[in-house]
Amino acid sequence: MIIPVIHMTPKIRGMTVKNNRRIPLELYVHIPFCVRKCQYCDFLSDPSDEETKDRYIEALLKEIRAAEHTEDYEIVSVFIGGGTPSALKAEAIASIMRTLQEKFFFCEDAEVTIEANPGTVDPEKLTIYRNVGINRLSLGLQSTDAEELKLLGRIHSYEEFLKSYEWAREAGFSNINIDLMFAIPGQTGEAWRQHLYQVAELNPEHISAYSLIIEEGTPFYEKYEDHPELLPPEEEERQMYHDTKRILHEHGYERYEISNYARAGYACRHNLGYWERKEYKGFGLGSASLLENRRYTNTCELKQYLQGRLRGTEEELSEQDIREETFFLGLRKMEGIDPGPYRAHYEKLLEKLQMQQLLEEKNGKICLTEYGIDISNYVLAQFLED
């Protein structure tokens, strides 16, 4: 079934808008289902049956329809994440998009992303995504090697990924991200470089390259936490990171955030919004919202969510919270941040980190040096004040 195109052109609803201007807002929609849990994954997601998925979509649409004060906002980006959103039927995703478009005012060039995994998409499903206004696809590849994919617990082969990528192009997607992972157990620097060359030659608009993190509560944690010798040494992992920047730069990609690379004009606007602390509204299990410096989270209990008991936590962020987040998140961007009113507060710390060659100032902005990027977790933690 092909669903007619729903144009993203905004419609004026005749409602009162603060200061005669709508407030830019990002939307996140969480789909907590996957085909099979990966060995390293600690995200809020699990396999489930079709009845539960249907009930979840009903609860999700009800939550979206109940959103208040939507006339005040202009949607600049949407991110449908998970889990594996593409594990749902295409009609479920179409229903989500239609409901969002009916409820909210979308700006004309809104960036709308859906996460998808090879093995869960086909030409018809991808065409439906495009027809309902989704214009950015994030494909979870992780590795081009069959043994590494098996070790990670992925459900697909590299060949299936190539088919999915080709189908996405044929469906009209001109903005595609590919997720990759390095420092996988047993992975060598040469193997990682080959992955990068293979993916870069496909010419996606965006590549996310993350180092594997062993998270507590995952099968990988049980297997590797007490056996770090099975993981690539720290020096080799750092070299993999440097190789990533070099190889992707050679292919026309610029690093705009610690782990993200894009061709000119294709940096992910939605994620930039998170790092810049722009307002966002979350829908779905465990989703978070940031509105007027208040953070809200939905319940992480699926049973409660399906019963309509959505609310998890709510907190008003203090001046310290805002200050810490401004630096902790913003310094992830390669362009850095304007310290603005917080320069005086962090004056001694900024001087110390610049003396240690971890930070530098360019055009009035504070940013990480190459050395600072290598130990970014340490640098960013310096801005947490207890």
Side-chain angles (χ1 to χ4, degrees):
M1 175 181 67
I2 302 298
I3 297 175
V5 173
I6 297 178
H7 295 289
M8 303 293 286
T9 304
K11 297 178 180 178
I12 302 298
R13 301 170 187 262
M15 298 182 181
T16 301
V17 181
K18 295 176 182 177
N19 302 321
N20 295 318
R21 290 188 61 187
R22 288 185 169 84
I23 303 166
L25 182 69
E26 301 190 332
L27 300 179
Y28 174 76
V29 180
H30 188 66
I31 306 299
F33 306 117
C34 54
V35 177
R36 183 177 67 199
K37 192 88 167 176
C38 293
Q39 297 292 296
Y40 57 87
C41 180
D42 73 332
F43 293 158
L44 185 57
S45 63
D46 278 296
S48 191
D49 57 77
E50 292 302 317
E51 180 184 356
T52 301
K53 292 177 184 177
D54 290 343
R55 290 179 61 201
Y56 181 82
I57 295 301
E58 289 177 10
L60 177 63
L61 297 181
K62 184 177 180 180
E63 182 190 4
I64 295 170
R65 292 183 182 118
E68 298 179 340
H69 309 299
T70 59
E71 67 276 8
D72 292 339
Y73 296 101
E74 178 181 54
I75 304 308
V76 296
S77 70
V78 180
F79 198 101
I80 304 174
T84 306
S86 55
L88 293 179
K89 297 173 183 176
E91 176 55 32
I93 298 298
S95 295
I96 293 169
M97 284 300 302
R98 284 196 296 266
T99 305
L100 290 174
Q101 291 159 344
E102 290 165 2
K103 188 70 179 180
F104 288 93
F105 179 99
F106 276 65
C107 73
E108 199 163 356
D109 66 342
E111 176 192 87
V112 184
T113 303
I114 188 168
E115 290 184 329
N117 280 339
T120 64
V121 293
D122 55 40
E124 182 181 27
K125 185 178 284 189
L126 290 163
T127 299
I128 290 173
Y129 292 168
R130 285 293 296 123
N131 285 347
V132 296
I134 297 172
N135 53 31
R136 185 174 183 273
L137 186 70
S138 183
L139 281 172
L141 171 58
Q142 314 310 344
S143 173
T144 67
D145 180 79
E147 289 304 313
E148 289 181 1
L149 290 171
K150 182 178 179 181
L151 178 68
L152 293 170
R154 306 295 288 175
I155 66 168
H156 61 85
S157 66
Y158 181 56
E159 291 69 28
E160 287 175 311
F161 161 79
L162 290 175
K163 287 182 180 178
S164 299
Y165 184 81
E166 180 181 358
W167 291 335
R169 289 302 195 198
E170 292 173 351
F173 280 96
S174 57
N175 190 356
I176 298 178
N177 168 64
I178 296 176
D179 282 338
L180 289 174
M181 182 178 290
F182 63 92
I184 295 170
Q187 188 180 63
T188 65
E190 177 58 30
W192 172 242
R193 289 189 288 274
Q194 289 306 310
H195 298 337
L196 288 170
Y197 283 121
Q198 284 179 268
V199 171
E201 288 168 5
L202 293 172
N203 293 316
E205 286 68 35
H206 190 286
I207 295 174
S208 296
Y210 293 96
S211 172
L212 171 66
I213 299 175
I214 305 297
E215 301 284 5
E216 190 171 356
T218 65
F220 266 19
Y221 186 86
E222 297 176 10
K223 188 173 183 179
Y224 297 112
E225 177 62 18
D226 295 328
H227 297 282
E229 72 279 2
L230 299 177
L231 300 170
E234 184 177 335
E235 298 76 13
E236 188 167 14
E237 180 179 348
R238 187 171 298 175
Q239 185 59 51
M240 289 178 182
Y241 182 81
H242 291 165
D243 287 341
T244 303
K245 180 192 174 187
R246 174 179 59 81
I247 291 171
L248 294 185
H249 181 75
E250 291 171 356
H251 286 79
Y253 297 90
E254 289 300 321
R255 181 183 60 187
Y256 69 96
E257 188 270 346
I258 289 176
S259 301
N260 285 277
Y261 303 77
R263 297 196 181 281
Y266 287 97
C268 180
R269 285 186 276 147
H270 186 86
N271 285 342
L272 281 170
Y274 282 140
W275 299 318
E276 294 168 358
R277 296 193 73 256
K278 292 181 178 175
E279 293 197 336
Y280 56 87
K281 170 70 176 171
F283 295 105
L285 187 71
S287 64
S289 302
L290 178 66
L291 299 169
E292 297 182 345
N293 284 318
R294 295 187 70 86
R295 180 164 289 118
Y296 309 83
T297 61
N298 278 354
T299 178
C300 292
E301 298 296 327
L302 181 59
K303 184 177 180 180
Q304 290 185 10
Y305 187 84
L306 295 179
Q307 293 173 345
R309 294 183 287 152
L310 310 181
R311 188 49 54 90
T313 62
E314 178 179 342
E315 62 173 328
E316 183 168 357
L317 300 182
S318 67
E319 184 65 25
Q320 177 181 330
D321 293 329
I322 297 168
R323 185 171 61 237
E324 289 177 350
E325 288 184 5
T326 297
F327 281 79
F328 187 86
L329 296 174
L331 283 174
R332 295 189 61 89
K333 301 183 302 170
M334 295 301 97
E335 71 173 9
I337 60 170
D338 179 355
Y342 304 130
R343 182 185 288 273
H345 181 86
Y346 284 125
E347 183 176 5
K348 291 184 179 179
L349 176 59
L350 292 173
E351 288 179 359
K352 183 184 82 169
L353 294 174
Q354 289 183 66
M355 287 288 292
Q356 295 173 335
Q357 298 184 336
L358 298 171
L359 291 180
E360 60 184 338
E361 186 162 353
K362 294 180 179 179
N363 302 317
K365 290 191 174 183
I366 302 294
C367 57
L368 292 167
T369 63
E370 287 296 326
Y371 177 42
I373 293 170
D374 280 347
I375 55 173
S376 59
N377 287 343
Y378 165 79
V379 180
L380 299 178
Q382 300 305 300
F383 293 93
L384 302 181
E385 306 170 37
D386 290 331

